[in-house]
Amino acid sequence: MLQLEHLKKSYNKTEILKDISYTFNKGQLYPVLGGQGAGRTTLLECINGDLPLDSGEIIIKEKGKIFLASKQSVLPMYITGYEFIEMLCDMGRKTREPEYYFGKVRLSEDARDMLICDYSFEEKKRLQLAAFLVQKPYVMMFDEPLDYCTEEYISDFLNVVEAMKDDHIIIITTGLLDISQRISDDALVLNNGELNVVSKETMEIPEIKQAVM
C-alpha cells in the first residue's frame, strides 16, 4: 500500500497539487494521465521525496522502497549498460547474471556494450527497467516512458511491468489517452491540481472523453 493524504504543493503561489488523497495497492498498474503542466512530474517527485511537500503525508509499508525513473533519465553516462547492471547485481542479494535482466527487457547485445551516453531514449528506458528488475523496489514510478515511442518498445515495456505487478505498485505517467488505456482500463486523471479516477465506462461517454483528451 502507498497512501497519499492531503498532498499540497505550490510554486510561486501557484497551486500545482491541491489536497490530493489516494491509496495505491500492490498488484495493479496505475496510469496517471494529464496534460502538459498538469503536475505529473511534480507528483512523482513529491512521492519520491525529491521535492518537499507544503503539507500532507505519504504512508508506505515498513521498509518499502520507492524508485523513480525520471523523464530525463538519470543514469551514469560514461559506463556501458552492461557495467551498470553488473554493478547493481554485485550490490544486490539473490540477483541473477546481467544477461538475464537484459533478456527480460530485450535490450540488444550491441547496446549492452555501448556507453550509456550513446543510448537512444528507448534504450535508456529499457536499461532503467532492467535496473528496477535487479533492485526490486516496492513502488516503481515511470515518468512518461511510453509517449510517442515505437510499438515494439511499448509492447515490450508493458509485457515486463504486467509480469511484475503482483509484487509491486507501478505508476506510469502519460499525456496520451491511448497509452493510458493500454496500461489500464481505468485512469487517474490529474487536472487543475486534483487527482480523480475515471473508469473505463465513464471514459466511453463522449463528453467525458473529449474533456479528458
Side-chain angles (χ1 to χ4, degrees):
M1 179 193 72
L2 171 67
Q3 190 171 342
L4 313 182
E5 292 191 353
H6 306 293
L7 304 192
K8 294 184 180 181
K9 180 65 179 177
S10 299
Y11 289 113
N12 298 322
K13 298 183 180 179
T14 299
E15 285 187 300
I16 306 300
L17 307 178
K18 302 177 183 177
D19 198 26
I20 288 180
S21 295
Y22 190 79
T23 299
F24 298 91
N25 293 305
K26 185 175 72 172
Q28 297 186 51
L29 302 180
Y30 292 94
V32 175
L33 175 64
Q36 185 175 1
R40 291 172 290 151
T41 299
T42 298
L43 176 62
L44 297 193
E45 289 180 344
C46 286
I47 294 172
N48 199 47
D50 298 329
L51 289 176
L53 292 166
D54 295 339
S55 62
E57 186 177 8
I58 298 169
I59 302 169
I60 187 171
K61 75 168 189 176
E62 186 178 0
K63 297 183 179 180
K65 294 181 180 179
I66 303 175
F67 283 5
L68 167 61
S70 62
K71 191 184 308 182
Q72 302 301 324
S73 303
V74 181
L75 292 165
M77 291 289 103
Y78 297 104
I79 62 174
T80 67
Y82 190 93
E83 289 169 336
F84 177 56
I85 296 302
E86 183 179 44
M87 176 184 68
L88 295 180
C89 289
D90 290 343
M91 293 168 57
R93 296 180 179 179
K94 298 181 180 179
T95 61
R96 303 196 185 196
E97 293 301 312
E99 289 80 3
Y100 169 81
Y101 303 103
F102 287 126
K104 282 287 188 181
V105 302
R106 294 171 60 88
L107 185 67
S108 71
E109 292 190 11
D110 288 341
R112 300 173 196 184
D113 294 323
M114 289 168 47
L115 292 177
I116 296 171
C117 62
D118 295 326
Y119 275 28
S120 68
F121 175 85
E122 292 184 4
E123 287 169 338
K124 287 178 181 177
K125 292 304 172 185
R126 290 180 189 270
L127 188 64
Q128 284 181 324
L129 192 54
F132 279 18
L133 287 173
V134 176
Q135 296 166 309
K136 300 182 180 68
Y138 178 61
V139 179
M140 301 182 182
M141 302 189 297
F142 300 88
D143 194 9
E144 209 172 294
L146 302 174
D147 292 12
Y148 307 107
C149 293
T150 63
E151 176 58 34
E152 179 184 20
Y153 161 75
I154 293 170
S155 295
D156 289 345
F157 186 100
L158 291 177
N159 286 339
V160 173
V161 295
E162 180 69 30
M164 297 168 63
K165 70 178 184 181
D166 287 351
D167 296 319
H168 304 274
I169 294 169
I170 301 176
I171 303 169
I172 304 171
T173 71
T174 179
L176 302 175
L177 179 57
D178 62 325
I179 294 295
S180 174
Q181 291 175 326
R182 291 186 63 174
I183 297 168
S184 175
D185 288 339
D186 301 335
L188 285 169
V189 177
L190 183 59
N191 187 49
N192 292 325
E194 299 178 351
L195 189 66
N196 295 295
V197 179
V198 179
S199 68
K200 178 182 178 181
E201 293 75 20
T202 301
M203 194 71 78
E204 290 174 352
I205 299 172
E207 293 81 3
I208 298 295
K209 183 175 182 179
Q210 184 60 40
V212 170
M213 292 181 67

